[in-house]
Amino acid sequence: MKKIIALPFLLLCFFSAIAQSPQAIPYQAVLRNADGSVIANQAVTITFTIHNNAVDGTTEYQENHNTTSNALGLINLNVGQGTPTIGTFSAINWGSGTKFLQVAMNNGNGNIDLGTQQMLSVPYALHSSSSDNAVNAINATNATNATNAVNAQTAANGFSSVSTTGDTLYMANGTFIIVPGISVANFPPAILGCTDNAACNYNSSATQNDNSCLYLNATCDDGNANTFNDIINSSCVCAGTQTGGSGTGAQLLPGNATCSTQNISVTGCGGQTTLTYDGRTYDLVEIGGQCWFADNLATDQYRNGDPIPTGLSNTTWQNTTAGAYAIYNNDLANDATYGKLYNWYTIVDSRGLCPTGWHVPTDCEWMYLEGSLGMTIQQQEGIDWRGTNEGGALKATTGWTSPNTGATNSSGFNAFSGGYRFPQGTYDYMGNYGFWWSSSAFESGNVRIRILGFANSNVLRGPSNSYQVGLSVRCVRD
């Protein structure tokens, strides 16, 4: 909160007192901070004290006003119509001695003395130098001289009104006073914008924060009822993930250049929780509007019923250019939990590996899944380990080597580390890493794959480096 230093920035405008005992003296003031900004829409208590003969003379009268400044910091009060604390206003002897008005303000942090001024009645005569003093004060930058100028010219011409901005006094004879050091004419116009350099829309030219700052990955509302997980993305735009309906990456992953022309399937499970395929029942899970297998695929045949070759020796596995699968270490016990490991040729076989209405996900469909869990567009397109805790949300809480970092399985994806079969035919990594195919080849001998690790909470997007490796498969609904 800004400290209020109101004395140099308070305009005293009590100019309607008459020689006879007045019923009230109009008082207007603009409350400002030390930097010249107005104190807008704030409740304050103003205390008026009238002293006799001197600024620290005997207190003849005192009263309190509880008021609230307007949007321009302006307050309008009447001295004499507050709540008296000392004396009565009607008992003031205006004809005896000079009177001084002291003003104090309390904004909840104790009284602040705003200063004391001699009260000048109207009409009255001024010596000829008063006008000169007023003109000199207009050009001065000292706020005290400005106040003297206000009083002098007001006395000569009669006060009419205060501008809505509170920095110009209009006189009865048609002239006006712009108060030096306070008027907006003395300050350059504010350049509105985000002034926080931690924000993605930081404006280095802005001189006044307009509360427009946006922060990468901060939650927001994109105004689209058909999206969820709305966040400020890498383009510094509030965007969410589509809740359903297939479309291109440009529609479903705005800003993702990799997927802009790629079709992404977003079809829900429709309440279905299991599916039986090739004699095995798989759990299903819906994530971000997509319906996924919640188990690794374990079929031993193509969609049309043709068997997939298996039992290949290390040499045959390394040299085959046909579809084949393996079970980790040739141990059937591993098949029940981890499913089978398939080479690339089963993924692209025209007979289909997943059941009718399902397919092996593309690289972009994996990105959509990751985005549904909070991964940013910029992270999605990256290579190697990306994101934050998306891997933890995908990993099962059992079946991994300790510490199984970040594993919550909050998505229900239930990812197990099914291990890896090398092109040379050997096996490794069960319990430590899980590897999953996408159907997106990007160069000869290379395919985009996904890897989860026992010591990682994020997700690796990498190359397969071979078509002859054996990896796990998940199916996603068309």
Side-chain angles (χ1 to χ4, degrees):
M1 180 178 292
K2 294 179 179 178
K3 182 177 180 181
I4 299 169
I5 305 176
L7 179 57
F9 300 99
L10 191 68
L11 308 184
L12 306 180
C13 308
F14 51 94
F15 304 119
S16 299
I18 59 175
Q20 299 173 343
S21 297
Q23 296 304 308
I25 302 173
Y27 175 94
Q28 289 182 311
V30 177
L31 306 181
R32 294 181 181 270
N33 292 298
D35 61 2
S37 60
V38 298
I39 302 172
N41 303 314
Q42 183 163 335
V44 296
T45 298
I46 301 295
T47 299
F48 295 121
T49 304
I50 296 177
H51 298 278
N52 200 27
N53 291 324
V55 294
D56 57 353
T58 304
T59 297
E60 203 163 338
Y61 178 71
Q62 187 179 78
E63 66 179 20
N64 292 328
H65 291 256
N66 293 321
T67 188
T68 300
S69 61
N70 68 12
L72 299 173
L74 188 67
I75 58 173
N76 289 281
L77 304 173
N78 288 295
V79 181
Q81 294 183 355
T83 302
T85 57
I86 298 176
T88 60
F89 191 74
S90 60
I92 298 174
N93 185 356
W94 296 100
S96 174
T98 54
K99 309 300 178 188
F100 291 82
L101 179 65
Q102 179 184 5
V103 185
M105 178 178 68
N106 188 335
N107 67 337
N109 297 310
N111 276 339
I112 301 172
D113 187 355
L114 304 184
T116 304
Q117 276 190 285
Q118 183 179 353
M119 301 175 71
L120 302 175
S121 297
V122 179
Y124 49 81
L126 291 175
H127 55 80
S128 59
S129 65
S130 297
S131 295
D132 293 335
N133 290 340
V135 173
N136 292 335
I138 292 172
N139 296 320
T141 58
N142 183 281
T144 303
N145 290 341
T147 304
N148 292 338
V150 171
N151 290 339
Q153 189 161 327
T154 296
N157 299 307
F159 168 70
S160 175
S161 63
V162 178
S163 69
T164 56
T165 55
D167 54 22
T168 305
L169 304 180
Y170 294 96
M171 316 311 295
N173 67 354
T175 63
F176 60 89
I177 302 171
I178 296 177
V179 181
I182 295 178
S183 170
V184 293
N186 295 284
F187 296 95
I191 300 174
L192 301 180
C194 173
T195 59
D196 186 351
N197 61 13
C200 58
N201 63 331
Y202 168 62
N203 182 354
S204 60
S205 300
T207 59
Q208 183 175 329
N209 198 337
D210 62 357
N211 298 316
S212 65
C213 294
L214 302 174
Y215 300 91
L216 193 64
N217 297 328
T219 57
C220 58
D221 184 356
D222 66 0
N224 187 344
N226 296 316
T227 62
F228 68 102
N229 191 36
D230 299 351
I231 60 170
I232 304 300
N233 63 25
S234 58
S235 300
C236 206
V237 174
C238 180
T241 302
Q242 291 287 130
T243 55
S246 299
T248 65
Q251 297 169 315
L252 302 179
L253 294 175
N256 186 322
T258 303
C259 300
S260 61
T261 62
Q262 302 298 309
N263 189 69
I264 298 174
S265 178
V266 183
T267 304
C269 297
Q272 184 179 357
T273 59
T274 61
L275 179 144
T276 299
Y277 176 52
D278 187 24
R280 186 156 176 164
T281 299
Y282 298 88
D283 289 330
L284 305 179
V285 61
E286 186 169 322
I287 306 171
Q290 291 177 311
C291 192
W292 289 80
F293 274 26
D295 300 293
N296 290 341
L297 188 65
T299 185
D300 59 4
Q301 62 185 31
Y302 292 107
R303 182 185 303 161
N304 68 352
D306 290 347
I308 301 172
T310 189
L312 278 61
S313 67
N314 290 352
T315 300
T316 304
W317 176 269
Q318 183 175 13
N319 294 319
T320 187
T321 56
Y325 77 83
I327 298 172
Y328 191 90
N329 274 344
N330 299 313
D331 185 346
L332 289 177
N334 290 324
D335 182 56
T337 300
Y338 301 104
K340 296 177 172 63
L341 302 176
Y342 301 90
N343 68 9
W344 167 248
Y345 301 105
T346 58
I347 306 301
V348 294
D349 195 291
S350 61
R351 290 170 287 184
L353 183 60
C354 292
T356 301
W358 299 76
H359 62 276
V360 178
T362 65
D363 183 36
C364 291
E365 285 168 335
W366 276 108
M367 289 190 200
Y368 185 91
L369 170 67
E370 293 160 342
S372 299
L373 298 175
M375 188 179 292
T376 69
I377 295 294
Q378 184 177 15
Q379 291 169 338
Q380 290 167 29
E381 294 189 274
I383 303 297
D384 213 328
W385 294 102
R386 309 120 61 241
T388 53
N389 59 355
E390 297 81 8
L394 295 171
K395 288 192 297 181
T397 56
T398 60
W400 289 81
T401 301
S402 181
N404 198 12
T405 301
T408 63
N409 196 30
S410 59
S411 68
F413 192 79
N414 203 38
F416 283 104
S417 59
Y420 182 89
R421 189 173 189 185
F422 287 92
Q424 296 81 6
T426 57
Y427 298 90
D428 203 354
Y429 301 129
M430 178 171 280
N432 293 335
Y433 295 96
F435 302 79
W436 289 268
W437 286 109
S438 82
S439 59
S440 301
F442 64 96
E443 60 185 26
S444 179
N446 252 327
V447 181
R448 290 296 179 204
I449 65 173
R450 292 303 185 276
I451 303 175
L452 300 178
F454 74 104
N456 304 86
S457 63
N458 45 8
V459 183
L460 189 149
R461 174 177 178 247
S464 65
N465 293 321
S466 173
Y467 292 156
Q468 275 80 18
V469 293
L471 312 180
S472 300
V473 169
R474 289 294 177 103
C475 299
V476 66
R477 178 164 277 171
D478 294 349

